[in-house]
Amino acid sequence: MSGPSSGCGFLMSVVVHGDLALSEQEKELNQRLRSLYPAVSDQETPLPRSWSPKDKFSYIGLSQNNLRVHYKGHGKTPKDAASVRATHSIPAACGVYYFEVKIISKGRDGYVKYMGIGLSAQGVNMNRLPGWDKHSYGYHGDDGHSFCSSGTGQPYGPTFTTGDVIGCCVNLINNTCFYTKNGHSLGIAFTDLPPNLYPTVGLQTPGEVVDANFGQHPFVFDIEDYMREWRTKIQAQIDCFPIGEREGEWQAMIQKMVASYLVHHSYCATAEAFAKSTDQAVHEELASIKNRQKIQKLVLSGRMGEAIETTQQLYPSLLERNSDLLFMLKVRQFIEMVNGTDSEVRCLGGRSPKSQDSYPGSPRLFNSPVHKASSSQTYQTSTYYIHKFFFSASIGKKNILQKSGLLHQKKTFLVPKSTCFLAAEVEMEVDHFSNGVSESSSNGFLNGSSTHGIDLEELDSAQSKRQLCGGSQAAIERMIQFGRELQSMSEHLRRERGKNSANKKMLKDAFSLLAYSDPWNSPVGYQLDSIQREPVCSTLNSAILETHNLPKQPPLALAVGQAAQCLSLMARTGSGSCAFASVDDYLH
Amino acid sequence: MMACLLEAPLRISVLSEVTATSRHYVDRLFDADPQNVLQGVIDMKNAVIGNNKQKANLIVLGAVPRLLYLLQQSSSSLELRTECAVVLGSLAMGTENNIKSLVDCHIIPALLQGLLCSDLIFIEACLRCLRTVFISPVTPVQLLYTDPTVIPHLMSLLSRSRHTQEYITQIFAHCCKTPEHQTVLFNHGAIQNIAPLLISPSDKVRMQALKCFSVLAYENTQVSMTLVNVLVDGEQLSQVFVRMMQRDKPIEMQLTAAKCLTYMCRAGAIRTDDNCIVLKTLPCLVRMCSKERLLEERVEGAETLAYLMEPDVELQRIASVTDHLVSMLADYFKYPSSVSAITDIKRLDHDLKHAHELRQAAFKLYASLGSNDEDIRKKITETENMMDRIVSGLSESSIKVRLAAVRCLHSLSRSVQQLRTSFHDHAVWKPLMKLLQNAPDEVLVMASSTLCNLLLEFSPSKEPILDSGVIELLCSLTQSDSPALRVNGIWALMNMAFQADQKVKVEIVRALGTEQLFRLLSDPDTNVLMKTLGLLRNLLSTRPHIDQIMSSHGKQIMQAVTLILEGEHSIEVKEQTLCILANIADGNTAKELIMTNDDMLQKIKYYMGHSNVKLQLAATFCISNLIWNEEDGSQERQDKLKDMGFVDILHKLTQASDPNLCDRAKTAMQQYLA
């Protein structure tokens, strides 16, 4: 969930330390944190990774990448106590959070070994040991007592000293905390903990040294096992959640959701059969569903030109009123042209443009080896490639570059493959979902999904001989021309409706395909993947439905999206159980 | 009158109708047409499902022998035989009485015979019925082992299907109750055959296979030692068990896997400091004691944990700080809770049923926890109302609870500090004495052993116990048939006699009687002999006591000493006896009993030249006492002993390599020089 950006903190700290061995440790830390706390968004709520050099009392010294703490005060009276907090508070989305502290040295002889390990809120006095003040909690080594926001401790566990590893586990589901000593759980120490606590350690004896482990190393205590127990508990809670007051209501609702979902995606045969067997009415005319199905089939098989044409025929005003949608469809058409799948380039390639039925399995009628050199898989600089490309196309390069307005594209290959989707996270989930279903139900071409499946297959088999626009010279020219039209459409749109960064980026990414000798294996090659047709397809479908005053999202997708949103809301409001209830777990 | 007349025939007709339909089912089993018989059995199957009344009726009407006959007839179709087995399985699902009737009709040999058929469906039906019969507490498990061909055949059927695996392992898990059963199953390859089932895709099979291992390994070194070397799919069995203890696994699985590892550990197959014990099994068992678990699970968890750590102080220390175990156990005493009594009769019933079990399990675990470490004992006695709970546990009606309570008390009584404080404050000796009056041997052993500790000289309870007539009680224990009780009785007397005043000593000798004393000196149990000698030694300390006792019982004591020194005994026994002799030599008048006994003097001489230093030392000590200068008649004794050649021996001993012996000899020699 944390996405590709979760590595940011890691990259930054590598730069700071510039140490190879350290980067190994950081890598391990990142890996462990990700596997322990998959629900935590590191951008929103960063995890504690070290002690904070800013949030500490002056008697505290830090070393070893701010993981080692030593005491440098006098240590004579409790007034000499000193604490340090971790860099960040514990995110609720951890569900269960754990860190360990190893006692490296108990400090000089002749002193009472005051040493406290625990938690405190932001702002709690650092000239104190954890546990002594409000919103501060600690387990002390000298007497083994626990201190719950109070100067007097309660008997809790054994004492601890040099060599011992003390762990502190915060359960953000029931807001309790327990400690471990050398891998053994000591039992609940605190209940009713407030949110946003920081790992904290306090010392009061000269020579005291402790090391923290926030996940840099494997933990002595088996925290994963404890988390397993809670995951099971939460999932049992979800499974046993009481639903529906009256009998049958729940089932009827689910049937409704399934039916509406099938209709939405125009699986009309299935929808009809399902509605019949569950005794439901379908709220859309069959013809209308079939129309949508036809368009979707075209989009999903990459025949964008026909798809746009058909849409304009069946829903005359739709694309006129929705120029952004039209632009998106056209950009996709451009991509399909590059792919060699769009009808316009396919007909130029010698294929019958309307040979719909023979498309998936039909053998390629020709293979003009225009440039064999392109089989080289290595990336080349854009300037070089564009040069080569236009050279082999026997068109004056400068001329064409100017004409087609593609000159600026040479920079774009630096743009990393990243968050190109405007769609919110929820929509992503939906897409993913619909994807899974359509694939699994590919039992008849009526549902329009079989094309998709075969298409993928074809892509794979054609991997070695993939060529730009299907390899036809005329098609390439048509594609270039289409690109120019697209460019001007984009400029037109900008003049009419102001800047649209999404549109701009979309176009940029699409044009970037031309910057590589093998666009399919380039950093922007993902656009050519047939799976990218699906968001386009679903956006177009939603737009059509909206014109019919039907919901643009099926209720099922809405519910899934809502559940996902609810989980992230839970994470923000401090409900730890969200950690163990990923929506994905329920979408097999 | 009218109402009666109307009602009576009605009731009869309803009753007869029921039996009539039942009879109809049975009658159809005797039909001449096999097809009708089959249909009859199928109809019967549908009629009995979930209907205990119908099941009872059919059994009363004699359906079982007919079904068994049809099942065994080779002329019956396989389908008919299978349906018969299914119906019988259904009948077995009813009440315990049903099972009894089935067993009485010899259903077990018939079904076991059926397993020889080759048809899997029929075998599964037979096994399913056998499983249901065997897991009932009313079925004698021995019936599984009567025919020696049965176990190997069951082993061979394990490979047939998931169902055969589930039923057979379940039968084994329930019918393995004694070491003999373990050996039979072991010898027929139970381990190799069942181990692969631990990774079966079926939850039920995995669980039953695991249960098999827990019953096979229980107190069985041979099985346990074999288990550690077993690999399942390339993985060590102990690791498979560890995985089964993961916290997301079903509780029953976690608990049973922990039992397996516990038994393997106790058998010495896994070290107590192995991570799979310290970091996995022990914490798992502590979790089983938590309030979240069912009462049954908490009982089993506590008992298993007590067993696991009994011999290992390090495990006891870890457990004592794990998850507040000591205070968690205090909760075991709160059943039935006051809440359950008011709100829910069912719950109250459930609580009551388990209350005894919970208490005894808690006492056992406390006993195990506190058996070595003084700090843990302190922690236990400081647990809320702990001593009161033990005191009331000692007089509970349930023997199991009494035994566990006294075990716990015994464990805590090893603490000097607790003897001095909490034991005295709570007058635990009182219920303990009461317990000793009338209890089974098991309880008596523990109670008397605890009493031994309470009679130690520093124990403040010693005085009140003495006043309560304990001597008679202990003397009677020394006459018990159980060696453990005799040891404890005489041990307690020995402790009591240590530095006791004259009155007590005389009382002990009187109550015990010299006859019993000498019987104990020839006890076949070395422990009894040693403690009896210890008692004698404690009785014969300080000069006035020595003379007093020797003047009344000198002859017998000297006889006994002679007897032991001449007999085949261990060095320890002889040393103790020589020490007694040395004590006698310390008396004023008692000395003469030795001096006038030349035979005894020869014996002392012999032991002074013995190869064992301890015996030499004790014998030399004895001589040293006899020739001690400051006492009356020392000159004559010195002369006599010199004449007998003791000086030469002493002289030799001053050259001994053992420094103690050398010193002792030199001191003795000085008596001559002075």
Side-chain angles (χ1 to χ4, degrees):
Chain A
M1 258 198 195
S2 49
S5 54
S6 65
C8 273
F10 154 51
L11 282 170
M12 273 165 57
S13 41
V14 169
V15 173
V16 171
H17 302 296
D19 180 337
L20 199 68
L22 177 67
S23 81
E24 278 304 309
Q25 194 190 56
E26 288 279 342
K27 227 184 247 169
E28 200 186 330
L29 171 66
N30 281 312
Q31 225 164 35
R32 189 165 290 111
L33 293 183
R34 249 200 303 274
S35 85
L36 282 174
Y37 317 116
V40 173
S41 150
D42 221 19
Q43 281 164 311
E44 255 183 72
T45 49
L47 285 156
R49 286 161 184 266
S50 64
W51 300 116
S52 166
K54 291 172 200 148
D55 199 5
K56 67 177 185 67
F57 193 64
S58 54
Y59 289 171
I60 290 286
L62 296 179
S63 59
Q64 308 209 348
N65 313 311
N66 295 331
L67 290 173
R68 172 162 288 188
V69 183
H70 67 268
Y71 181 78
K72 49 183 188 181
H74 315 291
K76 289 193 177 111
T77 71
K79 281 180 186 166
D80 298 322
S83 288
V84 57
R85 265 187 286 271
T87 47
H88 299 98
S89 67
I90 300 165
C94 291
V96 167
Y97 180 79
Y98 186 70
F99 71 99
E100 280 180 351
V101 171
K102 181 170 184 165
I103 317 303
I104 301 299
S105 167
K106 63 181 165 132
R108 226 173 283 158
D109 287 340
Y111 290 81
V112 181
K113 313 297 177 199
Y114 291 110
M115 182 184 305
I117 292 163
L119 308 158
S120 66
Q122 177 93 72
V124 172
N125 188 353
M126 294 272 86
N127 188 11
R128 308 269 289 164
L129 288 185
W132 285 351
D133 303 288
K134 193 167 161 37
H135 289 155
S136 177
Y137 307 85
Y139 165 35
H140 290 200
D142 55 309
D143 55 6
H145 285 187
S146 64
F147 289 73
C148 179
S149 306
S150 156
T152 39
Q154 297 289 321
Y156 168 68
T159 59
F160 54 85
T161 183
T162 306
D164 286 330
V165 175
I166 303 301
C168 176
C169 178
V170 182
N171 182 326
L172 297 126
I173 298 158
N174 61 13
N175 300 314
T176 59
C177 160
F178 69 87
Y179 288 90
T180 66
K181 180 181 171 181
N182 301 326
H184 291 281
S185 160
L186 304 177
I188 299 284
F190 309 114
T191 57
D192 304 305
L193 291 175
N196 302 319
L197 292 173
Y198 290 70
T200 308
V201 65
L203 306 174
Q204 200 194 297
T205 306
E208 263 174 347
V209 181
V210 300
D211 275 358
N213 176 9
F214 293 108
Q216 281 83 359
H217 309 283
F219 292 120
V220 179
F221 177 70
D222 191 351
I223 188 65
E224 279 102 335
D225 202 25
Y226 179 75
M227 290 169 119
R228 268 196 286 272
E229 182 179 340
W230 278 89
R231 181 169 294 117
T232 316
K233 273 188 199 174
I234 298 296
Q235 280 167 5
Q237 242 175 46
I238 294 171
D239 295 345
C240 300
F241 190 80
I243 35 161
E245 298 269 299
R246 271 167 298 171
E247 206 145 324
E249 208 172 61
W250 178 248
Q251 195 188 13
M253 183 160 63
I254 288 190
Q255 285 172 349
K256 244 178 170 169
M257 283 177 101
V258 171
S260 59
Y261 178 82
L262 292 171
V263 169
H264 181 96
H265 290 288
S266 9
Y267 302 131
C268 49
T270 313
E272 232 184 325
F274 185 79
K276 209 169 161 188
S277 67
T278 54
D279 205 17
Q280 293 181 81
V282 177
H283 300 288
E284 190 184 353
E285 274 175 43
L286 196 62
S288 161
I289 303 176
K290 282 196 169 147
N291 282 340
R292 288 195 290 111
Q293 186 187 31
K294 190 174 168 192
I295 293 168
Q296 285 183 323
K297 256 164 88 175
L298 288 170
V299 174
L300 288 176
S301 57
R303 302 209 303 255
M304 284 309 296
E306 282 171 76
I308 294 168
E309 208 177 298
T310 314
T311 308
Q312 279 163 342
Q313 270 168 22
L314 293 168
Y315 308 99
S317 58
L318 175 70
L319 295 179
E320 269 169 51
R321 275 186 282 114
N322 203 337
S323 46
D324 278 341
L325 177 61
L326 179 63
F327 183 71
M328 183 178 103
L329 296 177
K330 293 230 170 196
V331 172
R332 187 67 215 172
Q333 187 177 1
F334 176 80
I335 295 167
E336 299 296 355
M337 281 177 161
V338 173
N339 220 354
T341 42
D342 189 69
S343 346
E344 281 196 50
V345 296
R346 265 156 38 110
C347 89
L348 289 171
R351 281 203 209 179
S352 148
K354 302 285 179 190
S355 66
Q356 298 182 7
D357 296 322
S358 66
Y359 158 63
S362 67
R364 288 189 184 275
L365 296 176
F366 77 102
N367 257 321
S368 64
V370 174
H371 44 229
K372 278 176 186 147
S374 68
S375 60
S376 142
Q377 300 285 312
T378 51
Y379 297 143
Q380 297 162 47
T381 65
S382 58
T383 354
Y384 172 71
Y385 180 68
I386 288 170
H387 175 207
K388 189 175 164 200
F389 162 58
F390 287 109
F391 175 76
S392 58
S394 13
I395 297 165
K397 82 175 179 194
K398 230 177 184 174
N399 186 16
I400 278 295
L401 285 180
Q402 279 157 356
K403 266 199 237 167
S404 63
L406 290 175
L407 195 56
H408 67 283
Q409 291 305 323
K410 63 178 169 184
K411 304 171 271 187
T412 56
F413 86 108
L414 282 171
V415 176
K417 167 188 177 181
S418 64
T419 53
C420 75
F421 290 109
L422 294 172
E425 200 179 295
V426 182
E427 284 170 90
M428 297 285 290
E429 296 276 2
V430 174
D431 293 336
H432 172 74
F433 183 67
S434 67
N435 211 358
V437 169
S438 65
E439 265 171 329
S440 66
S441 67
S442 63
N443 48 358
F445 64 91
L446 265 177
N447 282 342
S449 56
S450 56
T451 349
H452 174 195
I454 294 165
D455 199 358
L456 278 174
E457 231 170 72
E458 190 200 40
L459 250 178
D460 288 344
S461 65
Q463 199 114 34
S464 53
K465 47 186 178 186
R466 274 185 316 210
Q467 290 175 335
L468 206 65
C469 304
S472 147
Q473 191 69 52
I476 293 175
E477 279 167 30
R478 171 69 193 120
M479 179 267 288
I480 298 290
Q481 190 205 341
F482 188 82
R484 238 174 19 222
E485 286 166 21
L486 209 51
Q487 176 76 25
S488 68
M489 181 182 179
S490 158
E491 281 156 19
H492 179 74
L493 272 176
R494 197 173 58 217
R495 275 196 303 277
E496 295 252 302
R497 323 189 31 166
K499 272 188 183 172
N500 184 327
S501 58
N503 281 352
K504 191 176 161 191
K505 173 152 177 27
M506 213 188 315
L507 191 65
K508 218 161 118 181
D509 286 346
F511 285 169
S512 303
L513 287 168
L514 299 182
Y516 299 91
S517 63
D518 180 0
W520 288 271
N521 275 318
S522 73
V524 292
Y526 67 93
Q527 296 178 95
L528 295 165
D529 192 337
S530 59
I531 207 153
Q532 299 298 329
R533 292 169 187 159
E534 292 181 7
V536 177
C537 180
S538 113
T539 311
L540 176 58
N541 189 35
S542 297
I544 297 170
L545 285 166
E546 266 187 312
T547 62
H548 288 47
N549 285 324
L550 289 167
K552 69 172 187 174
Q553 272 198 331
L556 183 58
L558 211 62
V560 169
Q562 238 161 16
Q565 277 298 315
C566 179
L567 285 174
S568 63
L569 194 67
M570 281 170 81
R572 280 196 290 276
T573 54
S575 273
S577 21
C578 66
F580 301 126
S582 149
V583 175
D584 281 344
D585 291 348
Y586 291 87
L587 305 178
H588 305 297
Chain B
M1 202 55 191
M2 283 295 283
C4 277
L5 277 172
L6 276 174
E7 219 177 283
L10 191 71
R11 224 188 272 153
I12 288 163
S13 78
V14 167
L15 197 70
S16 59
E17 205 177 292
V18 169
T19 35
T21 46
S22 303
R23 178 161 303 286
H24 179 62
Y25 285 120
V26 179
D27 289 346
R28 288 171 71 191
L29 299 181
F30 294 89
D31 198 295
D33 180 0
Q35 208 49 45
N36 288 346
V37 175
L38 176 62
Q39 194 52 51
V41 175
I42 291 171
D43 290 345
M44 186 185 274
K45 175 178 76 177
N46 295 330
V48 295
I49 290 173
N51 187 340
N52 274 351
K53 182 79 195 155
Q54 185 70 274
K55 287 175 189 173
N57 278 341
L58 290 175
I59 290 171
V60 169
L61 293 169
V64 177
R66 183 62 187 170
L67 285 167
L68 283 174
Y69 173 81
L70 293 170
L71 181 139
Q72 286 171 290
Q73 253 348 75
S74 52
S75 57
S76 301
S77 72
L78 208 50
E79 195 183 1
L80 174 61
R81 296 172 73 189
T82 307
E83 291 296 340
C84 286
V86 172
V87 173
L88 287 166
S90 198
L91 294 177
M93 289 284 199
T95 63
E96 286 190 353
N97 277 331
N98 290 5
I99 301 263
K100 272 186 203 148
S101 313
L102 291 171
V103 173
D104 289 345
C105 292
H106 305 290
I107 189 176
I108 291 174
L111 290 170
L112 288 174
Q113 189 66 31
L115 297 181
L116 296 173
C117 175
S118 61
D119 184 73
L120 182 59
I121 307 290
F122 178 59
I123 289 175
E124 286 181 349
C126 289
L127 277 174
R128 188 168 161 278
C129 182
L130 276 170
R131 183 272 315 260
T132 312
V133 173
F134 271 120
I135 64 172
S136 164
V138 299
T139 310
V141 294
Q142 200 50 45
L143 292 174
L144 184 66
Y145 303 94
T146 343
D147 177 352
T149 64
V150 166
I151 300 294
H153 185 57
L154 287 174
M155 292 290 174
S156 74
L157 288 177
L158 276 174
S159 58
R160 291 298 294 276
S161 76
R162 257 183 225 178
H163 284 121
T164 64
Q165 290 167 355
E166 182 195 334
Y167 302 145
I168 293 170
T169 45
Q170 203 176 350
I171 291 171
F172 286 164
H174 269 86
C175 295
C176 182
K177 306 248 189 223
T178 67
E180 291 75 39
H181 298 159
Q182 289 173 333
T183 308
V184 170
L185 292 172
F186 177 81
N187 288 342
H188 286 105
I191 293 175
Q192 294 79 354
N193 282 312
I194 300 173
L197 306 184
L198 287 173
I199 51 169
S200 158
S202 154
D203 290 347
K204 285 179 181 167
V205 172
R206 280 204 307 276
M207 192 58 230
Q208 294 306 331
L210 182 61
K211 279 190 175 171
C212 277
F213 283 115
S214 86
V215 293
L216 281 168
Y218 179 65
E219 292 190 337
N220 191 314
T221 313
Q222 188 186 31
V223 170
S224 298
M225 286 301 186
T226 311
L227 285 182
V228 276
N229 296 317
V230 171
L231 293 180
V232 181
D233 202 21
E235 196 178 15
Q236 281 193 335
L237 202 58
S238 57
Q239 287 313 304
V240 176
F241 291 149
V242 165
R243 242 183 315 109
M244 289 175 135
M245 286 192 298
Q246 280 181 357
R247 295 167 83 150
D248 54 350
K249 295 284 185 292
I251 297 300
E252 189 188 21
M253 183 174 279
Q254 292 185 39
L255 180 53
T256 315
K259 278 185 178 178
C260 289
L261 288 164
T262 296
Y263 301 153
M264 287 163 76
C265 179
R266 281 303 303 266
I270 302 176
R271 289 166 54 105
T272 52
D273 60 359
D274 192 299
N275 271 350
C276 79
I277 297 297
V278 181
L279 289 174
K280 298 291 173 189
T281 310
L282 184 141
C284 173
L285 288 171
V286 173
R287 285 201 301 278
M288 295 302 138
C289 299
S290 98
K291 225 174 174 171
E292 287 170 48
R293 302 275 71 86
L294 299 175
L295 300 185
E296 295 91 325
E297 292 160 354
R298 292 167 77 183
V299 170
E300 277 195 60
E303 286 182 333
T304 312
L305 181 57
Y307 182 60
L308 172 68
M309 64 188 180
E310 206 171 25
D312 190 277
V313 65
E314 201 41 51
L315 290 181
Q316 290 157 13
R317 287 194 185 117
I318 292 168
S320 75
V321 298
T322 300
D323 286 340
H324 306 300
L325 177 64
V326 175
S327 54
M328 197 198 292
L329 281 177
D331 194 69
Y332 277 47
F333 295 93
K334 295 175 182 164
Y335 293 88
S337 70
S338 49
V339 187
S340 64
I342 306 160
T343 53
D344 187 348
I345 291 294
K346 235 180 176 174
R347 164 105 187 269
L348 174 68
D349 188 47
H350 179 253
D351 283 6
L352 273 174
K353 230 181 256 168
H354 291 93
H356 296 304
E357 287 293 306
L358 279 166
R359 281 198 291 272
Q360 63 87 24
F363 280 136
K364 264 186 204 163
L365 188 44
Y366 276 132
S368 188
L369 271 171
S371 52
N372 297 95
D373 188 288
E374 187 65 30
D375 287 340
I376 302 176
R377 288 186 196 120
K378 185 162 178 280
K379 210 165 156 181
I380 293 171
T381 44
E382 282 168 359
T383 310
E384 52 168 319
N385 306 325
M386 191 57 212
M387 292 312 288
D388 290 337
R389 281 184 177 136
I390 295 177
V391 166
S392 58
L394 290 174
S395 46
E396 268 202 40
S397 58
S398 155
I399 286 183
K400 233 175 152 180
V401 178
R402 267 186 286 164
L403 179 58
V406 75
R407 266 173 74 170
C408 180
L409 192 68
H410 177 247
S411 176
L412 297 175
S413 75
R414 292 186 187 151
S415 155
V416 175
Q417 198 201 354
Q418 298 312 324
L419 282 177
R420 283 192 172 137
T421 55
S422 56
F423 273 57
H424 189 57
D425 298 343
H426 290 83
V428 293
W429 65 269
K430 280 186 190 166
L432 194 63
M433 285 297 293
K434 218 177 127 202
L435 195 61
L436 279 162
Q437 310 296 330
N438 178 30
D441 275 8
E442 255 185 315
V443 177
L444 276 184
V445 171
M446 269 296 152
S448 53
S449 185
T450 312
L451 195 65
C452 286
N453 291 341
L454 282 165
L455 286 171
L456 286 168
E457 110 354 274
F458 53 80
S459 161
S461 304
K462 186 177 177 178
E463 283 307 311
I465 295 175
L466 273 176
D467 297 338
S468 69
V470 73
I471 295 177
E472 295 290 342
L473 185 108
L474 293 173
C475 291
S476 71
L477 284 183
T478 65
Q479 295 176 358
S480 161
D481 289 336
S482 147
L485 280 180
R486 291 202 300 275
V487 172
N488 286 347
I490 198 73
W491 195 339
L493 288 170
M494 180 187 96
N495 284 350
M496 196 188 291
F498 182 75
Q499 293 184 358
D501 51 28
Q502 182 88 4
K503 201 184 99 203
V504 174
K505 287 182 179 173
V506 170
E507 180 58 20
I508 290 172
V509 176
R510 187 204 59 78
L512 194 59
T514 40
E515 216 172 297
Q516 175 62 7
L517 189 68
F518 296 126
R519 209 175 295 136
L520 291 169
L521 284 174
S522 52
D523 198 285
D525 189 299
T526 316
N527 256 327
V528 175
L529 176 55
M530 278 298 285
K531 299 304 175 207
T532 312
L533 291 171
L535 169 65
L536 261 181
R537 200 174 153 184
N538 284 348
L539 289 172
L540 293 169
S541 77
T542 73
R543 220 163 268 162
H545 295 174
I546 296 168
D547 289 334
Q548 211 251 330
I549 289 170
M550 289 310 284
S551 71
S552 50
H553 302 92
K555 203 178 153 207
Q556 295 98 317
I557 289 172
M558 288 306 285
Q559 258 173 15
V561 167
T562 311
L563 222 65
I564 291 167
L565 288 180
E566 282 174 357
E568 293 278 324
H569 287 289
S570 65
I571 299 291
E572 286 71 30
V573 168
K574 297 215 164 160
E575 183 197 7
Q576 188 78 317
T577 313
L578 287 170
C579 286
I580 291 170
L581 208 55
N583 279 12
I584 295 169
D586 191 37
N588 283 329
T589 54
K591 274 190 180 68
E592 289 312 309
L593 286 166
I594 301 174
M595 287 308 296
T596 55
N597 187 339
D598 281 1
D599 179 46
M600 188 60 80
L601 288 172
Q602 287 301 335
K603 284 195 169 64
I604 295 170
K605 200 165 150 188
Y606 164 76
Y607 283 109
M608 284 175 80
H610 200 273
S611 60
N612 186 290
V613 176
K614 281 181 183 171
L615 297 185
Q616 286 180 295
L617 205 58
T620 311
F621 195 49
C622 189
I623 288 302
S624 168
N625 278 347
L626 289 175
I627 59 178
W628 206 254
N629 257 328
E630 296 142 35
E631 288 157 24
D632 284 346
S634 62
Q635 192 57 52
E636 289 124 62
R637 286 194 293 276
Q638 284 181 1
D639 291 345
K640 176 170 182 183
L641 292 173
K642 190 177 186 178
D643 291 345
M644 287 180 76
F646 276 95
V647 177
D648 295 339
I649 299 173
L650 282 174
H651 196 77
K652 231 188 266 170
L653 288 179
T654 56
Q655 312 293 322
S657 57
D658 184 87
N660 285 331
L661 183 57
C662 176
D663 282 356
R664 176 58 55 196
K666 278 179 188 159
T667 319
M669 284 297 285
Q670 274 164 9
Q671 303 303 314
Y672 279 97
L673 299 171

